Structures are given as structure tokens and as C-alpha cells.
């Protein structure tokens, strides 16, 4: 059975469109071994095979890591890094990586207990090796490590609770979060990837061959995971990739835009909008002035329309921060933002109305008098409609808003 898993792990995955997304990761609810291969040019085959990695190949580059066959052809205990000479540690690293390519059934906790523990220990040792700064790891080793990471994390996500079950869809705010059964291993794989990316020994010129556009797109696809622990790791990892791999920055921004467009205009269902907005909040904070037209279009076409979907309450705090960052960077954008809020102002949802009033307060604090005067008439018309709202929370929030508006008018409008 384990050999079958290895054979499936070495199959080539379909290549994603350069500006599109990998096929949807919502599956039938069964977590299977992924067939993703990050780089097809030079990969190590299963232990004991005649392919790359099974021994020195003709024409191999000098200094390439040679991995001897695994005697048992399966999951076996290997010595610790400290117990082997420094010259053999990169070879041992690859052998441990090969062990971690095996995936297991975590629904049945009594199945493959010994093998699961061996893999867990191997992952912990790999993390410690990367974290210790023992020196730059060979390019072949990096390729195999990213391939192992891909096999573990790029998988079919289970369907939402209402999909394929006939159960009526519930409010996302009221749903219990789904917890990934394989998290004991998955967390360690994410931690290894994070330590690899942030390590000072990781050469970006080499790493970008494996942390490529296809890899980034598949990471973004995983943001739809219902497990909040996984989304937190993904947020940190993607943010680090954005900071370290400058060549990927425009591509990452465009890919996130595409996720937002699909969420706004098609599905209105995505688990990771809040985490993606958190990343963007930090990115927007670093925008240089004068602001590029590309960034202003992103505000108008993606961020402001994010006020439209029904579950806006799930990510409104992060969205409001991004919007306010734009106005603080360029106060001339205040008129566009306020008119955008008025366009998507809720008609019957009192909770959303309270959120919008709170966001308007933050925007007004960064607004200058001239910009306020441009949108003053439609703003006061909306305030008048809010005064007739019978909901006590709306009226209380509006009272605070009017006090702030009075101070604003007194201090900034001649």
C-alpha cells in the first residue's frame, strides 16, 4: 500500500495557467495523497529506483547529493543528524524527506501508528536542521524538500458542510470551524516550509525555481481551508514569500485580486478572505507615494466591492483597515471611498449598517475638508435615512457618528 502511495506521489500534476488558479481543491471529503510536482526537470525517484536520486547519474553535476536506496523500501527509522558526519548530513536530509513523502489516514487513529510517529520525528528533525543554520543546503535537497511539502499540503479539501449533503447552507458566522485530522503532521510541514523561506541560508535565486508561480497559486487555493490554524500558517508563509521574493509581488497581488473577484461576483463563499486582507493591509502600508494607478484600481474594483457580500462581517475589521490605509496614504481618495460605501450601503441589515457607520468614522478622521465637501450631500442624505431606522444599535452608533461629524465640520471645514 505504501508503495502505491509513492507511485501516486510521483505522477505529474497538471500545470496551472499562469494567471489562473489550480483546479478547485474542494473534493469529495477524502484526503488523498497529492500528485503535485513542483519542478519536473530534475526530481528524485522513489528509494531504490533507477531514476534520479537512486544513485549517481551519468553527467550529474559535480557535488550533487547521492542518495542510496532505502533498504526496506518504506518508512524506516533513520539516525539523527548529530550522529552522522557533517559530509553525510545532506544525504540523510534527503532520506528523511523521502520518508515524509508518505501520507497516512488520520481518520483512523489506530492505523499505521509506528509509521506516523517515524514521520513526525523526521519532520521535527528537518525543522531543527533548517533552523540551526547548519549551512546552505544543496539545490537538489531544496527541490526534494519542496516536492515533499507539495505532496503533503496540496490536497483535496473536504467540502463545506452543506455541499453534496442536501443540508441547507447556514450562516458562515454561525458554523463550527472544521479541524483537519492530519494537523499533527501538516503543522510540522508548514513549519518546515516557513523556516526554509525565512532562513538566511536560503538563496532566493535558487529557491524561486521551486517557490514559483504555480506553487504560489496552489498556496492561495489552500486559503479556502476551513481550519483556522492552517489559514494562519498560510497567511504568515505567503507574507514572507511576498517580502523575500520581490519578483513574485505583482503576481501575488493579481492572484489575490482574482480570488476577490470570484468571491464578490460568483460564490460569496470563501474561508480565507480575512487572512488575505491582513496580508494586503501590510502591503498597502508599504506603498510608495505617489500611489500607482494599479493600486487605485485595486481599491475601486476589489476592496470597495468587498462591502457587498452578505458575510462581510467575517472580514470587515481587516477590510476597514485596508480602506483606511488607502485614505491615510492619499487623502484625495476619501471622496471615492465614501461614495463607494454609500453605493453598497445595506438596506435591511442593521448589523452591517453599524459596521459601515464605524468605518465611515475612521475614514473621516483621515479626510480633508475639500474631499468631504465633494461627497457631503449624498452622505447627509444617507444619514437622514439612518435617523429613521428603528434599530437601537444603529441609532446609538449614528449618535456617536454625528458627534464626530460635528467636530470634523468645526475643525476642517471653513
Amino acid at each position: 500500500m505504501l508503495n502505491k502511495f509513492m507511485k501516486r506521489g510521483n505522477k505529474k500534476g497538471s500545470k496551472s495557467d499562469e494567471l489562473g488558479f489550480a483546479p478547485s481543491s474542494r473534493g469529495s471529503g477524502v484526503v488523498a495523497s497529492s500528485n503535485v510536482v513542483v519542478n519536473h526537470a530534475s526530481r528524485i525517484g522513489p528509494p531504490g529506483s533507477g531514476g534520479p536520486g537512486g544513485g549517481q547519474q551519468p553527467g550529474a553535476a559535480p557535488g550533487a547529493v547521492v542518495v542510496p536506496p532505502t533498504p526496506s523500501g518504506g518508512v524506516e527509522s533513520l539516525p539523527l543528524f548529530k550522529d552522522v558526519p557533517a559530509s553525510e548530513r545532506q544525504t540523510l536530509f534527503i532520506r528523511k524527506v523521502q520518508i515524509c513523502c508518505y501520507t497516512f489516514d488520520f481518520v483512523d487513529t489506530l492505523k499505521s501508528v509506528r509509521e506516523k510517529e517515524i514521520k513526525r520525528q523526521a519532520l521535527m528533525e528537518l525543522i531543527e536542521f533548517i533552523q540551526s543554520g547548519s549551512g546552505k543546503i544543496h539545490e537538489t535537497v531544496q527541490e526534494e524538500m519542496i516536492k515533499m511539502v507539495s505532496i503533503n499540503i496540496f490536497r483535496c479539501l473536504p467540502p463545506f458542510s452543506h455541499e453534496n449533503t442536501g443540508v441547507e447552507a447556514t450562516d458562515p458566522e454561525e458554523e463550527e470551524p472544521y479541524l483537519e485530522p492530519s494537523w499533527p503532521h501538516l503543522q510540522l510541514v508548514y513549519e518546515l516550509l516557513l523556516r526554509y523561506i525565512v532562513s538566511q541560508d536560503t538563496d532566493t535565486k535558487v529557491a524561486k525555481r521551486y517557490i514559483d508561480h504555480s506553487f504560489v497559486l496552489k498556496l492561495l487555493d489552500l486559503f479556502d481551508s476551513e481550519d483556522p490554524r492552517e489559514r494562519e500558517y498560510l497567511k504568515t508563509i505567503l507574507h514572507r514569500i511576498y517580502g523575500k521574493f520581490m519578483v513574485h509581488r505583482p503576481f501575488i497581488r493579481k492572484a489575490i485580486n482574482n480570488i476577490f473577484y470570484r468571491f464578490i461576483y460568483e460564490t460569496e463563499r470563501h474561508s480565507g478572505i480575512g487572512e488575505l486582507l491582513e496580508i494586503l493591509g501590510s502591503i498597502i502600508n508599504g506603498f510608495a507615494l505617489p500611489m500607482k494607478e494599479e493600486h487605485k484600481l485595486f481599491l475601486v474594483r476589489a476592496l470597495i466591492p468587498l462591502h457587498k457580500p452578505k458575510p462581510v462581517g467575517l472580514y470587515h475589521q481587516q477590510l476597514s483597515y485596508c480602506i483606511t490605509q488607502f485614505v491615510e496614504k492619499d487623502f484625495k481618495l476619501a471622496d471615492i471611498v465614501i461614495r463607494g460605501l454609500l453605493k453598497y450601503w445595506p438596506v435591511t441589515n442593521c448589523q452591517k449598517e453599524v459596521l459601515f457607520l464605524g468605518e465611515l468614522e475612521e475614514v473621516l478622521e483621515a479626510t480633508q475638508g475639500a474631499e468631504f465637501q465633494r461627497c457631503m450631500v449624498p452622505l447627509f442624505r444617507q444619514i437622514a435615512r439612518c435617523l429613521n431606522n428603528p434599530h437601537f444599535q444603529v441609532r446609538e452608533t449614528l449618535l456617536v457618528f454625528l458627534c464626530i461629524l460635528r467636530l470634523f465640520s468645526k475643525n476642517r471645514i471653513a
Side-chain angles (χ1 to χ4, degrees):
M1 179 62 71
L2 293 176
N3 288 332
K4 289 182 180 179
F5 280 132
M6 285 296 292
K7 289 178 182 177
R8 289 169 61 191
N10 284 326
K11 291 180 181 177
K12 292 187 177 182
S14 60
K15 188 175 182 180
S16 300
D17 188 287
E18 182 70 358
L19 294 178
F21 286 89
S24 175
S25 57
R26 291 289 174 198
S28 61
V30 179
V31 178
S33 176
S34 173
N35 63 353
V36 175
V37 178
V38 175
N39 188 301
H40 302 297
S42 167
R43 66 178 186 272
I44 290 180
S49 68
Q56 184 68 41
Q57 300 300 312
V65 178
V66 180
V67 183
T70 304
S72 64
V75 177
E76 62 164 355
S77 296
L78 294 173
L80 301 175
F81 284 110
K82 64 180 181 180
D83 295 336
V84 299
S87 60
E88 298 178 13
R89 287 175 185 169
Q90 303 245 353
T91 302
L92 180 60
F93 191 100
I94 287 190
R95 291 185 65 181
K96 289 181 183 290
V97 163
Q98 289 174 340
I99 284 177
C100 297
C101 286
Y102 290 100
T103 56
F104 300 99
D105 177 13
F106 280 84
V107 176
D108 185 352
T109 56
L110 300 178
K111 191 175 181 180
S112 306
V113 176
R114 174 182 169 275
E115 290 81 0
K116 289 176 184 176
E117 179 59 21
I118 291 174
K119 178 179 175 180
R120 190 185 70 84
Q121 291 290 343
L123 284 168
M124 292 178 66
E125 290 166 22
L126 292 173
I127 293 169
E128 186 179 353
F129 184 87
I130 294 291
Q131 203 169 4
S132 64
S134 303
K136 292 185 178 181
I137 57 176
H138 193 275
E139 182 176 348
T140 305
V141 180
Q142 294 183 55
E143 180 182 3
E144 289 308 299
M145 183 179 67
I146 296 301
K147 186 176 76 172
M148 180 274 289
V149 169
S150 300
I151 288 172
N152 280 274
I153 69 175
F154 298 145
R155 67 207 189 280
C156 289
L157 296 175
F160 289 119
S161 56
H162 69 280
E163 291 181 349
N164 304 321
T165 60
V167 179
E168 185 178 351
T170 57
D171 188 339
E173 297 185 38
E174 298 177 359
E175 288 182 4
E176 290 292 328
Y178 168 82
L179 299 179
E180 174 61 51
S182 62
W183 188 247
H185 284 186
L186 204 58
Q187 180 184 13
L188 295 175
V189 176
Y190 276 124
E191 186 67 25
L192 176 63
L193 177 60
L194 177 60
R195 295 301 167 191
Y196 166 71
I197 291 169
V198 302
S199 173
Q200 295 181 351
D201 294 324
T202 299
D203 185 351
T204 54
K205 292 181 180 179
V206 174
K208 72 180 181 181
R209 299 173 190 169
Y210 313 112
I211 308 293
D212 57 8
H213 286 180
S214 176
F215 188 88
V216 169
L217 284 176
K218 293 180 178 72
L219 275 183
L220 283 166
D221 200 33
L222 288 172
F223 272 86
D224 204 15
S225 169
E226 291 186 81
D227 193 324
R229 303 169 300 180
E230 182 168 15
R231 296 198 305 271
E232 191 67 23
Y233 260 104
L234 287 165
K235 178 185 72 176
T236 304
I237 289 168
L238 186 64
H239 195 188
R240 295 291 189 173
I241 290 174
Y242 188 92
K244 190 160 189 171
F245 299 85
M246 295 185 66
V247 68
H248 291 337
R249 290 183 180 183
F251 181 81
I252 290 174
R253 292 196 301 268
K254 189 167 186 177
I256 293 176
N257 278 4
N258 290 339
I259 292 177
F260 287 166
Y261 294 151
R262 187 180 177 198
F263 171 71
I264 295 165
Y265 300 110
E266 295 182 23
T267 65
E268 287 199 359
R269 187 88 190 203
H270 195 285
S271 301
I273 300 298
E275 286 78 10
L276 291 171
L277 285 169
E278 283 188 49
I279 297 172
L280 287 170
S282 178
I283 293 172
I284 295 166
N285 191 36
F287 282 167
L289 295 176
M291 199 173 294
K292 294 180 180 179
E293 194 64 26
E294 168 203 345
H295 303 327
K296 295 178 183 179
L297 287 174
F298 168 68
L299 169 67
V300 174
R301 295 178 179 178
L303 283 187
I304 292 177
L306 275 173
H307 291 85
K308 177 186 176 183
K310 184 179 178 182
V312 64
L314 292 173
Y315 55 82
H316 183 265
Q317 182 179 356
Q318 297 92 330
L319 176 60
S320 179
Y321 177 77
C322 290
I323 295 286
T324 307
Q325 286 290 303
F326 266 101
V327 180
E328 289 179 353
K329 283 278 182 181
D330 185 355
F331 63 85
K332 293 180 180 179
L333 295 172
D335 178 41
I336 295 174
V337 168
I338 292 174
R339 289 181 183 274
L341 285 171
L342 296 178
K343 177 182 178 181
Y344 295 106
W345 199 274
V347 178
T348 58
N349 192 324
C350 296
Q351 296 299 325
K352 283 182 68 173
E353 200 161 3
V354 170
L355 294 176
F356 276 47
L357 285 169
E359 186 174 348
L360 266 179
E361 291 178 22
E362 296 180 8
V363 171
L364 280 175
E365 290 180 3
T367 304
Q368 300 298 317
E371 281 64 42
F372 176 75
Q373 288 179 343
R374 292 193 187 99
C375 60
M376 188 166 55
V377 173
L379 176 60
F380 280 115
R381 284 176 181 165
Q382 183 59 57
I383 291 172
R385 286 191 285 268
C386 290
L387 286 171
N388 294 323
N389 193 312
H391 197 280
F392 75 96
Q393 283 186 320
V394 175
R395 296 173 71 89
E396 286 179 358
T397 307
L398 183 60
L399 184 61
V400 175
F401 176 76
L402 288 172
C403 293
I404 294 174
L405 188 59
R406 182 174 181 272
L407 290 173
F408 175 85
S409 303
K410 187 176 181 179
N411 296 333
R412 302 189 191 181
I413 300 179

